[in-house]
Amino acid sequence: GRPRADGLGNTRSRGMKIVLDVMGGDHAPEVTVAGAVDAAREFGVSILLVGPEDVVRSELAKHDTAG
């Protein structure tokens, strides 16, 4: 059967990959990384963050990314 399309919370069953350029946006990288962490937690999705590794690590360190 066809996988259900019930919003962002079910993206894994459809094989969707979410990739985010953390340097994109007027308030990057703070807002983009914070939004990615919130979305991953709220919708249960995995998000691949792309950008300068030191910047990504620094921003992620500001958030609880466990679980």
Side-chain angles (χ1 to χ4, degrees):
R2 188 173 156 178
R4 294 180 310 157
D6 60 359
L8 291 176
N10 194 29
T11 57
R12 289 184 189 165
S13 68
R14 295 189 310 242
M16 183 185 300
K17 305 259 188 253
I18 301 173
V19 180
L20 177 65
D21 174 4
V22 301
M23 301 306 289
D26 291 339
H27 302 286
E30 295 86 2
V31 173
T32 51
V33 172
V37 170
D38 289 346
R41 184 174 293 114
E42 183 174 342
F43 299 111
V45 295
S46 295
I47 302 174
L48 176 64
L49 301 178
V50 179
E53 184 175 351
D54 59 327
V55 172
V56 173
R57 288 185 183 277
S58 175
E59 288 302 316
L60 282 174
K62 299 175 184 178
H63 301 277
D64 176 14
T65 58

